[in-house]
Amino acid sequence: MTIDAADTIDEATILNGTDIVRIQNLSVSYLSGKRQVDVLKDVTLQLRRGHVLGLVGESGSGKSTLASALLGSLRSTSFVSNGSVHVAGQDVFALAPRALRRLRTAEVAMVPQNAGNALTPTMKIGEQIAEVLHHLKGNKAAQRARAEELLRLVRLPNPGPALDRYPHQFSGGQQQRIGIAMALAANPSLLVLDEPTTGLDVVTQAAILDLLMELQETMGMSMVMVSHDLGVIDKMCTDIALLRKGAVVESGMTRSVLAQPQHAYTRGLIDSVPRIDTPGIPPGMDQAAIDAGTVREGAVELYIRTPPTKAKPVLSVRDLTIDYRRKPVPGTGPTVQDVSFEVNAGEIVALVGESGSGKSTIANAIAGLQKSEGGQMSLTGSGDESANHLRGGGNLARTVSSRPKSLRQAVQLIFQNADTSLNPRHSVRTAIARPLKLFGVKGATVERALEEVELPASFAKRLPGQLSGGQRQRVGIARAIAAGPSLVLADEVVSALDVSVQSSILRLMDTLSRDKDIGFLFITHDLAVVRSIADRVVVLYLGRIVEDGTVEEIFSDTSHPYTRLLLDSVIELGDDHKAKAQAVRDEIPDAPPELGCPFASRCPIVRDVCRTVVPPTIQVSDTHNIECHADVSELRPSIPAL
Amino acid sequence: MVTFFAKRLGWSVFTVLLATVLVFSAIQSLPGDAATQLLGQNATPSAVATMRQQLGLDEPPVSRFFTWLGKALHGDFGNSLVGGGSVAGEVGSALVNTSLLAGITIVIGILLSLVLGLVAGLTRDRWPDISISTLALVGMSVPEFVVATVLVLLFSIYIPIFPAVVIAGQNASLSDLLPSVWLPAGALICVLAAYIIRMMRTSVIDVMDSEFVRTAILKGNSTSRVVFKHLLPSAMLPTLNVIAMNIAWLVGGVVVVESIFNYPGVGTLMIRSVQTRDLPTILLITVMSALTYVVCNLLADFAAFLLNPRLRYPRSSK
């Protein structure tokens, strides 16, 4: 792919078919009042047949608009103000409706970001795939056979019966596979993928990406892939284009652009991604410097957090058991079983696992939003003399409505989506003042709370809609901190944020934990973030702890096979993606087994005893425990490759 | 699923019972009863007492209610206190007439409003939507008796194609009624359609914005396929309950409209019975109204069940 903005389109080049995509000086705008706002500004890109283009950028960069423009689709209020888009030699915005439909059925198909929302809930998936099979129109049996073949191609289990099921009967990873099968059904020459794996767990993501890569190679398809994840782009794409505020700032061959970025924005983006192999929080992006075009020289300065030296527990969880089942189901065990861990004052403990691992369930139980069936949870005095609200500690077994006020004050939550957890009609002041008033916090003001999260006092007047994503999350943190808690439960607090904002929020959590001696229970599926911020890590699988230890120990060579699977599934910038082992394809079971090790059904070094006996604890060190029947020597990566 | 509908059915029976209790006590608390109404203001107290005894009104209200309930469960709804005839027969013939009116209103009204709502939603903020939405708003804000009067002015006075009032009495046959059913039906449709159109429009707009409709369009489906296969089932779901509510409302709307057009239906009968404190008739009409309401809601639940696979197949384990 080359950028030659000065060139005009040579009709012959389009017709000879070496380029599947030609975007020439494309500007897309919408009207805000009488002012014209550009979503895309003068974008010129080409993609050769058989190549894969990655579109990278942060939220608001216009990458999704550009992707849907390839299908001739824009938001109803937007319009093409300049330039053109040619796909397979056709000017998509000049096509008549009928011809545009033909383009979408034959040449270009889209894999949506969240297949769970993109599949029609009231139609069987077989029918949804079949309606794309226009060449088999009228032949029901042939359509069915082809649909089944496509589902087999994307490795959906039991493809035959699956045709007669509805979308909600599949897991997130399976829905994404169905979405891909549906896009492939048209046998398109160009596949457009909008963040195809963003909502998925690392293991599922790795499996879906491997599948896409294989399909692309065998079918010789061209692809355009939108992502905010540089690791994913690095693995999948031959070509890359970086977008910022609607304009392409840099483009070229993926490997060379990412190895030697020329633009300050590319550099900043690469630098702000946390890595699983290096500890420390990366620097935030300096937007002003990028606007000025200054490329930072020298090595990236990472901020390394120092864990608290004294162990003063604030939260102690012993043998916690939670059961969602109304009545026992044969062969399955409780949702969460025998979970024990501690959080010390000033410490950041990460609770890690795939969706369905029970990490949010445990957090809800600690917060008192979920009843527990067994075990003890207690909040011990924070040890901080100024924290006068909690002298004797408290029992967390009761749910929130029957907890004393002081205990409710001591445990606070920060949510994943600050935009939905803040009332859109309440000002920032109302949101933060509420806990201050409710708990009668003395000497605290809304302005102080805002200052602590590095927001100007003038923000108190604003409504959540007038804030950016990062600012809203800061307000969410300010609201939690304002009550003066000794324990904060932070559920995926950075996963919805752009990487450039992510590091500043992580830095804030670090500062607050040290300055206020708050213990953080940090729930996340993002291992790179864990590496950068956590002091200790608890790895969960199906509601059971499989490994726990200090952050260094968890990322060391000796790991539980499940931790190893998670680590191996992480896709990072600069990895040798081809050499990396293929991910285990099995999906996480619906319910934990009644007996033995929860991971037995997916474990590469499983033995008979694993299916019947609860694994013993291997004490690798004072702080590092692994629950496994295997010998320690088997838990190093040189032994059976996963 | 069976337990779900069994539960709903139980609640329905309870609702109907509650409605009869409420109406019974409401009539009791009104001053005067059938005896005073029948004999007029100048009746002597002893005449009233004799009349009460004849009508069985001297029993305490609670025992009268249970006597009525016991007989009603066996299908005997008693005799009219005023006319003396069987209540079931009287209400039955009125009900047939009302069913004709309601049936025409429901079939035409619902089809029309679903189509108009769909068109409005699909052409959001363009002229078809703006005209439909404005008309719906007018329909909602103007009371049915005004609509009825305007319709009479237009179609029986300026352009005399329909009769203004029904001259045929209580015993009119359906064929006698057929020419005169259209104006009252029109008045009811105007009001009924307004709510359904607005609900349908909102719900179509919501679903149009959903990712699955966008995906269906990007798959290259024809517009009609997108609308009828992908959009409509989901858009219908929230509208179903509004339809059920409006059909139930129709029972009340019928009273006013029927009396304007002197249509010999349940509404007209209801007004007359209330005037004469004819308790058995009022009670039976109440039971019928409550039943209509309950059956409509049950039907709406059942339709939702058919349209929504998430209700039919709860997420099963793999």
Side-chain angles (χ1 to χ4, degrees):
Chain A
M1 185 192 59
T2 49
I3 298 281
D4 39 9
D7 282 7
T8 50
I9 298 177
D10 179 1
E11 288 296 326
T13 325
I14 297 164
L15 293 174
N16 76 18
T18 55
D19 286 342
I20 179 82
V21 176
R22 268 203 160 227
I23 301 169
Q24 196 75 15
N25 303 105
L26 179 70
S27 294
V28 171
S29 320
Y30 64 91
L31 289 179
S32 167
K34 283 191 176 156
R35 207 163 52 90
Q36 182 174 319
V37 183
D38 291 344
V39 190
L40 290 174
K41 283 177 234 161
D42 202 26
V43 172
T44 298
L45 286 170
Q46 284 99 36
L47 178 69
R48 292 165 70 87
R49 280 189 188 271
H51 279 220
V52 180
L53 168 65
L55 296 175
V56 187
E58 298 187 68
S59 43
S61 63
K63 56 188 194 301
S64 290
T65 307
L66 186 55
S68 56
L70 294 172
L71 286 96
S73 158
L74 294 174
R75 284 171 159 277
S76 57
T77 48
S78 302
F79 55 93
V80 175
S81 48
N82 189 33
S84 64
V85 177
H86 283 79
V87 171
Q90 300 179 63
D91 184 348
V92 295
F93 287 106
L95 292 175
R98 182 175 275 274
L100 184 60
R101 267 179 49 206
R102 209 175 308 123
L103 180 87
R104 288 171 181 169
T105 52
E107 296 288 354
V108 48
M110 179 131 171
V111 175
Q113 169 166 4
N114 181 347
N117 297 337
L119 294 167
T120 302
T122 49
M123 276 171 82
K124 291 176 181 171
I125 64 156
E127 199 182 344
Q128 297 195 50
I129 297 175
E131 68 182 3
V132 189
L133 302 166
H134 297 271
H135 57 288
L136 299 173
K137 211 164 195 158
N139 186 344
K140 280 247 184 288
Q143 284 186 337
R144 227 184 130 78
R146 175 71 183 137
E148 190 178 333
E149 196 184 323
L150 285 160
L151 290 181
R152 192 166 291 123
L153 194 66
V154 296
R155 299 203 190 85
L156 192 80
N158 302 324
L163 292 174
D164 292 319
R165 296 169 79 185
Y166 290 91
H168 72 278
Q169 295 172 292
F170 298 91
S171 72
Q174 291 173 338
Q175 287 172 343
Q176 201 62 26
R177 284 170 199 269
I178 295 165
I180 293 170
M182 203 163 79
L184 292 176
N187 216 353
S189 33
L190 175 68
L191 196 60
V192 179
L193 305 111
D194 189 357
E195 304 263 12
T197 56
T198 301
L200 305 175
D201 287 315
V202 274
V203 183
T204 319
Q205 160 168 300
I208 298 266
L209 290 179
D210 282 340
L211 169 73
L212 279 171
M213 201 127 172
E214 204 183 301
L215 291 171
Q216 192 269 328
E217 276 164 17
T218 52
M219 300 168 82
M221 248 181 331
S222 316
M223 299 203 307
V224 172
M225 190 162 180
V226 175
S227 184
H228 68 283
D229 187 331
L230 286 174
V232 169
I233 295 287
D234 185 44
K235 176 188 166 89
M236 302 293 293
C237 302
T238 51
D239 302 20
I240 188 172
L242 287 109
L243 282 109
R244 181 167 185 254
K245 297 178 184 170
V248 174
V249 295
E250 188 166 1
S251 63
M253 303 291 288
T254 307
R255 269 285 143 108
S256 59
V257 167
L258 293 180
Q260 281 142 349
Q262 299 302 309
H263 195 277
Y265 178 68
T266 319
R267 172 91 265 168
L269 208 56
I270 295 170
D271 288 348
S272 53
V273 179
R275 306 297 208 89
I276 57 161
D277 50 7
T278 15
I281 305 173
M285 221 191 271
D286 185 352
Q287 299 288 354
I290 293 167
D291 287 333
T294 347
V295 181
R296 201 190 38 74
E297 301 291 332
V300 188
E301 278 174 40
L302 295 169
Y303 168 82
I304 313 267
R305 175 183 150 82
T306 23
T309 44
K310 284 178 291 178
K312 298 175 292 183
V314 282
L315 170 72
S316 157
V317 176
R318 285 277 150 266
D319 305 320
L320 177 66
T321 299
I322 299 166
D323 204 341
Y324 279 152
R325 301 170 302 171
R326 287 213 191 124
K327 48 185 180 228
V329 180
T332 67
T335 320
V336 171
Q337 193 167 35
D338 293 337
V339 166
S340 305
F341 63 92
E342 267 163 13
V343 178
N344 291 325
E347 192 181 35
I348 299 180
V349 175
L351 215 51
V352 175
E354 288 172 274
S355 49
S357 64
K359 47 192 198 302
S360 293
T361 306
I362 293 171
N364 285 344
I366 297 169
L369 302 172
Q370 162 71 43
K371 217 161 59 73
S372 60
E373 266 70 34
Q376 296 95 47
M377 294 180 288
S378 57
L379 202 66
T380 37
S382 72
D384 183 352
E385 306 315 322
S386 66
N388 55 6
H389 53 265
L390 199 82
R391 290 195 192 84
N395 182 4
L396 294 173
R398 283 176 294 177
T399 51
V400 74
S401 52
S402 49
R403 284 181 185 181
K405 213 186 222 180
S406 63
L407 199 55
R408 277 185 279 151
Q409 181 177 6
V411 181
Q412 290 291 322
L413 285 114
I414 311 172
F415 299 95
Q416 172 169 8
N417 287 316
D419 15 349
T420 49
S421 60
L422 291 171
N423 187 331
R425 295 184 193 285
H426 283 182
S427 68
V428 169
R429 176 182 304 282
T430 318
I432 299 176
R434 177 118 196 180
L436 294 180
K437 205 171 145 203
L438 180 67
F439 299 122
V441 185
K442 288 187 198 77
T445 60
V446 172
E447 285 71 22
R448 260 303 294 287
L450 284 172
E451 192 185 308
E452 269 165 357
V453 296
E454 293 150 25
L455 286 177
S458 60
F459 272 45
K461 290 196 291 285
R462 298 208 187 175
L463 291 171
Q466 297 168 307
L467 305 174
S468 73
Q471 288 165 344
R472 269 195 293 253
Q473 195 53 286
R474 279 172 194 270
V475 173
I477 295 173
R479 189 201 50 76
I481 299 299
S486 49
L487 176 72
V488 169
L489 308 168
D491 195 348
E492 301 274 14
V493 284
V494 294
S495 40
L497 302 174
D498 283 324
V499 276
S500 58
V501 187
Q502 202 174 319
S503 34
S504 66
I505 297 285
L506 294 176
R507 283 294 292 271
L508 179 64
M509 276 176 59
D510 164 65
T511 314
L512 290 170
S513 72
R514 284 183 293 114
D515 291 357
K516 301 192 160 269
D517 232 14
I518 296 170
F520 275 88
L521 186 62
F522 186 65
I523 293 144
T524 184
H525 67 279
D526 188 333
L527 291 163
V529 168
V530 169
R531 182 85 206 245
S532 68
I533 183 97
D535 303 320
R536 281 194 303 120
V537 182
V538 176
V539 184
L540 282 166
Y541 182 76
L542 289 176
R544 281 101 179 116
I545 293 180
V546 295
E547 183 173 358
D548 65 292
T550 65
V551 69
E552 288 309 312
E553 287 165 342
I554 295 293
F555 288 86
S556 72
D557 280 348
T558 311
S559 303
H560 188 278
Y562 177 60
T563 316
R564 172 79 47 221
L565 171 65
L566 284 181
L567 291 172
D568 283 344
S569 306
V570 174
I571 296 158
E572 290 209 298
L573 187 57
D575 284 346
D576 186 354
H577 302 295
K578 286 240 157 39
K580 245 191 167 176
Q582 292 266 306
V584 174
R585 293 186 194 284
D586 299 355
E587 288 201 33
I588 188 163
D590 267 358
E594 193 175 359
L595 302 167
C597 173
F599 192 56
S601 65
R602 291 167 88 186
C603 185
I605 54 170
V606 67
R607 50 202 69 184
D608 286 345
V609 65
C610 300
R611 302 192 200 276
T612 48
V613 182
V614 174
T617 305
I618 304 172
Q619 274 219 318
V620 186
S621 77
D622 279 354
T623 48
H624 189 192
N625 300 308
I626 296 175
E627 315 291 320
C628 191
H629 284 293
D631 191 70
V632 189
S633 62
E634 292 177 81
L635 300 177
R636 308 227 160 89
S638 53
I639 322 296
L642 291 175
Chain B
M1 177 209 164
V2 175
T3 42
F4 174 76
F5 279 103
K7 229 182 251 174
R8 296 305 300 249
L9 212 62
W11 276 110
S12 307
V13 172
F14 179 73
T15 312
V16 174
L17 267 180
L18 195 67
T20 54
V21 172
L22 284 177
V23 171
F24 194 91
S25 9
I27 300 279
Q28 284 308 315
S29 61
L30 284 178
D33 55 22
T36 54
Q37 280 321 97
L38 279 175
L39 295 173
Q41 291 200 332
N42 301 325
T44 58
S46 65
V48 172
T50 321
M51 185 64 123
R52 279 205 178 124
Q53 208 166 11
Q54 278 172 10
L55 294 173
L57 293 176
D58 50 348
E59 299 270 322
V62 178
S63 78
R64 266 193 293 141
F65 178 73
F66 280 105
T67 319
W68 175 83
L69 191 65
K71 283 184 179 165
L73 288 176
H74 292 95
D76 175 11
F77 291 93
N79 292 331
S80 165
L81 298 186
V82 182
S86 145
V87 169
E90 203 174 344
V91 174
S93 75
L95 203 62
V96 171
N97 295 343
T98 295
S99 303
L100 176 72
L101 177 56
I104 288 175
T105 307
I106 289 168
V107 172
I108 299 181
I110 288 176
L111 276 180
L112 188 75
S113 39
L114 286 182
V115 171
L116 287 179
L118 183 64
V119 171
L122 292 175
T123 59
R124 185 183 183 178
D125 294 339
R126 280 178 279 148
W127 69 264
D129 173 33
I130 294 171
S131 18
I132 293 170
S133 296
T134 313
L135 279 176
L137 202 65
V138 171
M140 267 166 124
S141 5
V142 179
E144 58 263 37
F145 57 83
V146 176
V147 177
T149 316
V150 171
L151 285 178
V152 168
L153 269 178
L154 284 179
F155 296 107
S156 24
I157 297 178
Y158 292 136
I159 317 162
I161 40 176
F162 294 117
V165 286
V166 184
I167 304 148
Q170 197 71 260
N171 304 320
S173 67
L174 285 185
S175 56
D176 291 340
L177 284 174
L178 209 54
S180 41
V181 82
W182 302 105
L183 281 188
L188 287 171
I189 288 172
C190 280
V191 187
L192 174 87
Y195 290 93
I196 303 178
I197 288 175
R198 288 188 70 82
M199 186 64 219
M200 187 66 183
R201 173 184 181 268
T202 314
S203 135
V204 166
I205 287 174
D206 279 353
V207 181
M208 273 301 277
D209 278 343
S210 73
E211 269 209 53
F212 64 82
V213 168
R214 194 176 115 87
T215 307
I217 295 169
L218 292 185
K219 274 159 83 180
N221 281 310
S222 63
T223 310
S224 65
R225 191 170 170 93
V226 170
V227 169
F228 292 108
K229 291 295 292 188
H230 293 266
L231 183 139
L232 210 51
S234 298
M236 283 289 293
L237 279 174
T239 317
L240 283 175
N241 286 318
V242 175
I243 293 178
M245 295 290 286
N246 273 287
I247 295 180
W249 165 87
L250 203 62
V251 178
V254 153
V255 176
V256 177
V257 173
E258 279 187 359
S259 74
I260 291 174
F261 290 97
N262 192 34
Y263 187 89
V266 174
T268 313
L269 182 63
M270 176 88 165
I271 290 185
R272 214 175 53 215
S273 315
V274 171
Q275 278 164 356
T276 56
R277 307 284 191 276
D278 188 355
L279 193 55
T281 314
I282 300 174
L283 277 176
L284 182 55
I285 295 176
T286 313
V287 173
M288 286 328 221
S289 315
L291 267 180
T292 319
Y293 178 82
V294 156
V295 168
C296 286
N297 275 293
L298 269 180
L299 284 177
D301 283 340
F302 194 68
F305 199 76
L306 289 182
L307 278 176
N308 191 349
R310 275 163 296 197
L311 289 176
R312 260 178 297 148
Y313 309 97
R315 220 200 136 190
S316 55
S317 54
K318 278 164 277 178

